[in-house]
Amino acid sequence: MDEPSFTIQASGRQSPIHPSAPKMIKIEQDIHEFVSGHEYRRMSVRESARIQGFPDNFIFKYKDLNDGYKMIGNAVNVQFARILADSIKDAINKSYG
């Protein structure tokens, strides 16, 4: 993936187009069209999870596909969450340790 992605939203409809698809044609500001004759697909839940920093072995449990995207889109980046949790833990240990 050669370009930065927008944040993964909590809905599959806003999930970025897979990078192997042709670029959309810009009509005007904030208006784009698909190139006719080409297939486009949204990034999968797993691909979106990779962008958000989830490890490949992370298990997602959902029945509705949109719920899978919601888990990704509403999540805090995994590495950031770990750093934040470790910082809170250290602060608590210093206060009560």
Side-chain angles (χ1 to χ4, degrees), residues 23-95:
K23 300 289 178 220
M24 295 177 75
I25 300 169
K26 184 174 183 172
I27 305 302
E28 58 185 79
Q29 184 175 347
D30 298 328
I31 299 178
H32 296 78
E33 284 185 358
F34 292 109
V35 176
S36 64
H38 294 278
E39 289 193 25
Y40 288 83
R41 76 170 178 85
R42 299 277 179 200
M43 294 182 74
S44 69
V45 170
R46 179 61 61 187
E47 291 164 335
S48 298
R50 286 182 178 145
I51 289 173
Q52 292 294 85
F54 283 86
D56 284 339
N57 63 351
F58 192 92
I59 298 171
F60 297 95
K61 294 185 179 183
Y62 56 91
K63 292 182 181 178
D64 182 278
L65 184 61
N66 207 41
D67 290 340
Y69 285 107
K70 284 180 185 177
M71 284 190 283
I72 305 304
N74 289 330
V76 173
N77 178 282
V78 176
Q79 288 86 0
F80 177 72
R82 181 179 309 250
I83 291 166
L84 183 60
D86 287 342
S87 177
I88 292 169
K89 180 180 170 185
D90 290 346
I92 290 171
N93 287 339
K94 287 178 185 173
S95 294

